[in-house]
Amino acid sequence: MAILVAGGAGYIGSHTALELLEKKEDVIYLDNLTKGHKDAVMGGKFYQVDLLDTEALRKVFRENEIEAVIDFAAFSLVGESVNEPIKYYQNNVGATINLLKVMQEAGTKKIVFSSTAATYGEPENVPILESDRTEPTNPYGETKLAVEKALKWADRAYGIKYVSLRYFNAAGAHISGKIGEDHTPETHLIPLILDAALGKRESISIFGTDYPTQDGTCVRDYIHVTDLANAHILAVEKLRRDHTSAVYNLGNGKGFSVREVIHVTKEVTGLPIKVIEAERRAGDPAVLIASSDKIKKELGWNPRFADLSTIVETAFRWHQSHPNGYEN
Ligand code: UFG
């Protein structure tokens, strides 16, 4: 039986699909390629399908025996979601609901869902626990929380079991250098710093230097994309084993400020990086750090690339070998 990876040609989806292939799982990639890259598909079967296209989706479920779905397909830019909430609700909620409908028709009862730290909004505690208040401060976080709630009711009504993984800051690239992060536009800190180091952009702007943190810049919990990928595999195994649903945070439990990330990137690359101090970006919480104790305890998750310099090093290798991303 196969595992369907929706959004499999995207950043985290492609890393997860590759880990599944390496574990000899039967992988089906599904992606509409609006954000994903065909060259990130490393094996298995590929369908260019949009989750909103119910008939095409039904056909995928008819042609394959799908045991479980891992759903990465979503828009994920916080700023864009504030300006275009309908686009986000349609794509992130509408499409996933459609997927659930087709899963229910086909009798597929396991789903691992890509959720986010943005479901919490301004944190109540540091580190953040799964049981903490969820009050998103942007439509992106709202759409992910809406799906989590739909999953809870789909479990009750249809027995579809889910694991929802709330990622903190995904970063880095596959250790082989074969796949990595390629977003257009790029908005994430580490790839932008690397672009500045490699001369693809003039400088890196620090968004806000007056936060109540040790050096005035925002603190985030960076997690290697392969460690994230492995958590999805553990989640599928959990669903196979005990047929119960769960929500887990995924981070390293350690925060780094924007200045610290720039410093580590300078050390890793040995290249000069021009830094500009800029205004705050709207909607950025000062500190986001995960407690991942629950997934460590319950699923035995254990990050292999927890060190920030290793995370940056793998990203650097990808950026050096793919200066134009997948367009090489
Ligand atoms: N930052 C800069 N300069 C830049 C880009 C980012 O200073 O050019 C700062 C941001 O202000 C933030 C930190 O670097 O403080 C990290 O920013 P990213 O954009 O890399 O990541 P975010 O923390 O904003 O976003 C992540 C995920 C989102 C998720 C969000 C939850 O990428 O999907 O956490 O808050 F929604």
Side-chain angles (χ1 to χ4, degrees):
M1 287 180 93
I3 299 180
L4 181 75
V5 184
Y11 174 43
I12 306 172
S14 61
H15 284 78
T16 302
L18 184 52
E19 296 301 306
L20 288 166
L21 288 169
E22 281 171 1
K23 285 207 168 308
K24 307 280 175 248
E25 294 279 2
D26 186 2
V27 177
I28 299 170
Y29 288 78
L30 188 146
D31 206 295
N32 63 5
L33 297 181
T34 59
K35 298 274 172 189
H37 308 275
K38 187 72 202 297
D39 288 344
V41 174
M42 293 281 141
K45 244 191 220 179
F46 174 76
Y47 285 92
Q48 186 172 350
V49 162
D50 192 300
L51 290 180
L52 285 166
D53 184 346
T54 312
E55 271 322 307
L57 201 52
R58 283 193 177 119
K59 187 165 173 278
V60 175
F61 277 78
R62 264 201 313 274
E63 287 178 4
N64 302 278
E65 219 185 317
I66 295 169
E67 178 202 4
V69 174
I70 310 184
D71 179 24
F72 297 95
F75 292 145
S76 63
L77 299 179
V78 169
E80 183 184 64
S81 78
V82 175
N83 298 324
E84 297 182 71
I86 295 171
K87 173 174 160 182
Y88 273 68
Y89 274 88
Q90 193 165 36
N91 190 59
N92 294 5
V93 182
T96 308
I97 297 300
N98 221 31
L99 172 64
L100 279 173
K101 183 172 81 176
V102 175
M103 282 176 65
Q104 189 241 332
E105 288 169 5
T108 299
K109 302 231 182 244
K110 301 180 185 78
I111 180 166
V112 180
F113 176 64
S114 272
S115 188
T116 167
T119 54
Y120 294 108
E122 278 295 333
E124 228 181 332
N125 295 302
V126 178
I128 299 173
L129 297 168
E130 290 84 351
S131 52
D132 283 354
R133 177 187 64 203
T134 45
E135 244 173 62
T137 50
N138 53 65
Y140 170 62
E142 289 285 7
T143 60
K144 290 289 179 176
L145 189 60
V147 172
E148 284 197 6
K149 290 183 178 170
L151 287 169
K152 185 185 80 181
W153 294 109
D155 176 353
R156 197 170 293 187
Y158 317 119
I160 294 177
K161 301 296 170 191
Y162 66 92
V163 172
S164 183
L165 299 175
R166 293 178 178 162
Y167 318 147
F168 282 63
N169 289 61
H174 195 265
I175 191 98
S176 67
K178 281 192 293 199
I179 53 174
E181 186 167 11
D182 179 5
H183 293 120
T184 309
E186 188 51 81
T187 62
H188 295 107
L189 182 63
I190 293 175
L192 289 176
I193 302 174
L194 286 168
D195 282 349
L198 291 165
K200 269 195 75 186
R201 47 189 295 134
E202 266 282 290
S203 57
I204 181 73
S205 296
I206 300 182
F207 296 150
T209 52
D210 58 350
Y211 283 98
T213 58
Q214 72 269 24
D215 63 17
T217 68
C218 286
V219 169
R220 293 288 181 274
D221 184 343
Y222 295 88
I223 172 168
H224 194 276
V225 64
T226 299
D227 287 330
L228 271 184
N230 282 316
H232 293 77
I233 293 172
L234 294 173
V236 169
E237 286 167 357
K238 172 203 158 55
L239 292 170
R240 282 176 176 157
R241 192 170 57 237
D242 67 15
H243 307 287
T244 59
S245 297
V247 177
Y248 298 109
N249 285 341
L250 277 171
N252 280 308
K254 206 165 163 220
F256 290 90
S257 72
V258 175
R259 286 193 209 278
E260 285 174 323
V261 179
I262 295 171
H263 176 73
V264 167
T265 310
K266 276 187 186 157
E267 282 194 334
V268 165
T269 61
L271 296 167
I273 296 166
K274 187 174 169 203
V275 176
I276 291 175
E277 297 193 355
E279 291 300 303
R280 287 184 178 201
R281 187 173 71 178
D284 274 341
V287 179
L288 286 176
I289 300 173
S291 162
S292 300
D293 289 350
K294 189 179 172 204
I295 192 163
K296 284 183 176 163
K297 193 163 149 262
E298 294 186 10
L299 304 191
W301 178 71
N302 191 16
R304 281 165 57 211
F305 307 102
D307 189 52
L308 183 61
S309 41
T310 311
I311 295 175
V312 172
E313 215 177 284
T314 59
F316 182 45
R317 198 174 310 149
W318 160 258
H319 278 259
Q320 269 181 314
S321 60
H322 297 77
N324 300 312
Y326 285 101
E327 261 177 44
N328 279 12

